[in-house]
Amino acid sequence: VQLMQSGAELKKPGASVRLSCEGSGYTFNFYAIHWVRQAPGQSLEWMGWINPDNGDTKHSRTFQGRVTMTRDTSANRVYLELSGLTSEDTAVYYCARRDKSKLGYGYDVWGQGTTVTVSS
Amino acid sequence: QSALAQPRSVSGSPGQSVTISCTATSSDFGVYNYVSWYQQHPGKAPKLMIYDVNERPSGVPDRFSGSTSGNTASLTISGLQAEDEGDYYCCSFADYIWLFGGGTKVTVL
């Protein structure tokens, strides 16, 4: 069971970035995929989640208007797109799975993380 | 400031016990539910240590335990070992969003 994330990104301020997260070793549609980021030296920050089964999403108000989460069920993959990048978006972005029906189960599988650097 | 407050650091000698608190600080949120705890080593992804307040995933040593009291959740590490050194984060659900605590650095002296 694993989540495999796309490679590191270097973006200029104002640009957008699209990250991917591919699940394997389990029934992909049974678990929601959440996105969590961690700025250098900072805590974890929840961004949002997507239900791969029907595409429903929910995101933190912090990213209102800037975040889009989509999925490709044929490829067991979900995507996070973040627009209007600033230096404050420089962080490691993780995807993690969570049981959709048993919310108490926690994030039991994490991707390896994708480093996004925003710099002019 | 996080809506879940954790001490910045705790420390203990090998074999001792340490407890990390996670306190709900914002009255803007309702009930805090589904508490889980994560361990993170430098440069690595977080690892689930406790879920549903006090349940351990398979493979997590039984020296890790969780509890709650009022608006505070706690993670206790009994019989501290060198490999327990790292950062620990609590996570909870409130008002349809997920929250992480600010993190606690555990140092084994």
Side-chain angles (χ1 to χ4, degrees):
Chain A
V1 177
Q2 65 176 353
L3 296 173
M4 186 61 64
Q5 299 185 233
S6 49
E9 300 271 5
L10 174 61
K11 294 292 183 182
K12 294 192 183 302
S16 298
V17 68
R18 189 188 195 214
L19 311 179
S20 70
C21 171
E22 180 178 341
S24 62
Y26 71 99
T27 303
F28 191 63
N29 288 359
F30 281 9
Y31 293 82
I33 297 294
H34 292 233
W35 290 92
V36 176
R37 75 177 186 179
Q38 186 171 37
Q42 301 300 310
S43 176
L44 302 169
E45 180 179 24
W46 180 78
M47 299 183 69
W49 65 269
I50 181 168
N51 180 348
D53 198 21
N54 59 16
D56 282 350
T57 63
K58 172 75 174 177
H59 59 268
S60 167
R61 287 190 291 268
T62 302
F63 303 99
Q64 191 73 30
R66 290 209 300 141
V67 69
T68 304
M69 291 172 282
T70 57
R71 94 282 196 209
D72 178 354
T73 54
S74 67
N76 282 0
R77 200 172 287 163
V78 298
Y79 301 92
L80 172 76
E81 183 167 1
L82 188 63
S83 62
L85 293 171
T86 72
S87 59
E88 295 189 349
D89 294 313
T90 293
V92 177
Y93 290 73
Y94 294 102
C95 62
R97 78 169 194 178
R98 193 176 196 109
D99 193 300
K100 290 187 291 184
S101 58
K102 300 178 177 69
L103 296 182
Y105 276 22
Y107 299 112
D108 64 338
V109 179
W110 293 70
Q112 82 277 21
T114 296
T115 299
V116 175
T117 303
V118 183
S119 175
S120 55
Chain B
Q1 181 176 345
S2 173
L4 297 177
Q6 298 182 232
R8 294 186 68 90
S9 64
V10 298
S11 61
S13 300
Q16 289 186 329
S17 293
V18 296
T19 296
I20 303 167
S21 60
C22 172
T23 301
T25 61
S26 174
S27 59
D28 291 340
F29 295 100
V31 178
Y32 288 76
N33 296 304
Y34 310 121
V35 177
S36 54
W37 290 89
Y38 302 85
Q39 175 194 66
Q40 188 179 36
H41 291 134
K44 301 294 187 182
K47 175 187 175 183
L48 179 64
M49 305 301 286
I50 294 288
Y51 66 92
D52 226 356
V53 177
N54 57 8
E55 299 292 331
R56 274 188 316 276
S58 173
V60 172
D62 60 6
R63 62 179 183 275
F64 290 88
S65 63
S67 63
T68 60
S69 177
N71 66 339
T72 297
S74 297
L75 173 71
T76 297
I77 310 173
S78 306
L80 200 60
Q81 298 188 8
E83 60 262 35
D84 299 333
E85 189 161 285
D87 296 322
Y88 290 79
Y89 298 92
C90 60
C91 179
S92 185
F93 182 68
D95 285 356
Y96 302 102
I97 66 171
W98 293 92
L99 303 165
F100 285 94
T104 299
K105 183 174 182 58
V106 171
T107 301
V108 181
L109 302 171

